[in-house]
Amino acid sequence: MEPPNLYPVKLYVYDLSKGLARRLSPIMLGGTLLGPPDSVVDVGSTEVTEEIFLEYLSSLGESLFRGEAYNLFEHNCNTFSNEVAQFLTGRKIPSYITDLPSEVLSTPFGQALRPLLDSIQIQPPGGSSVGRPNGQS
């Protein structure tokens, strides 16, 4: 029997503030947020094929990760990445990433900023369809 193909699983970590969060965090939050931005974390490897992976992503977009379910602090892109990493490898992404929102909220600045951030609605363009042109099945 031929061994299954193994595909590497890598987590790309981005500082979406382009360094602003890193510069402001010692002043406002009392520490650094993610460390060096734009790093790549090796999560492991998977036997999941691209076809199965796209089906999985599509089902997530219709269930746990519909656009309206997004919440900056409790249900965000890090939550999504963690869910996907566990599906592919059985391993979680590093806790320094998933714990970041609660660390920010535990600071006085985070508490002061939360009402404003909670009021921001983020909707992905084009709905939640993943890998399906025109939303077709």
Side-chain angles (χ1 to χ4, degrees):
M1 184 171 156
E2 196 174 311
N5 289 332
L6 287 178
Y7 307 95
V9 178
K10 306 217 179 259
L11 174 70
Y12 284 59
V13 181
Y14 296 97
D15 177 357
L16 298 180
S17 72
K18 302 295 182 194
L20 181 62
R22 202 161 35 115
R23 288 194 299 274
L24 289 179
S25 65
I27 301 163
M28 304 212 176
L29 303 176
T32 60
L33 292 178
L34 291 175
D38 299 324
S39 62
V40 179
V41 177
D42 185 10
V43 181
S45 56
T46 187
E47 297 174 15
V48 175
T49 64
E50 182 179 3
E51 183 182 5
I52 292 170
F53 184 55
L54 289 175
E55 286 291 329
Y56 170 72
L57 289 179
S58 181
S59 72
L60 282 184
E62 294 166 2
S63 58
L64 290 176
F65 291 95
R66 294 180 319 280
E68 64 268 27
Y70 181 86
N71 178 282
L72 183 62
F73 295 108
E74 280 97 26
H75 200 68
N76 52 41
C77 55
N78 297 336
T79 316
F80 173 79
S81 297
N82 194 45
E83 187 82 23
V84 170
Q86 288 182 81
F87 172 76
L88 292 174
T89 68
R91 295 170 59 192
K92 296 181 176 187
I93 67 173
S95 60
Y96 72 85
I97 296 173
T98 51
D99 292 348
L100 183 60
S102 61
E103 288 174 14
V104 170
L105 286 177
S106 70
T107 68
F109 181 71
Q111 283 297 309
L113 205 55
R114 180 163 191 163
L116 171 65
L117 295 173
D118 279 342
S119 71
I120 298 171
Q121 294 293 319
I122 299 175
Q123 285 285 29
S128 61
S129 176
V130 176
R132 300 264 184 250
N134 303 322
Q136 296 172 350
S137 297

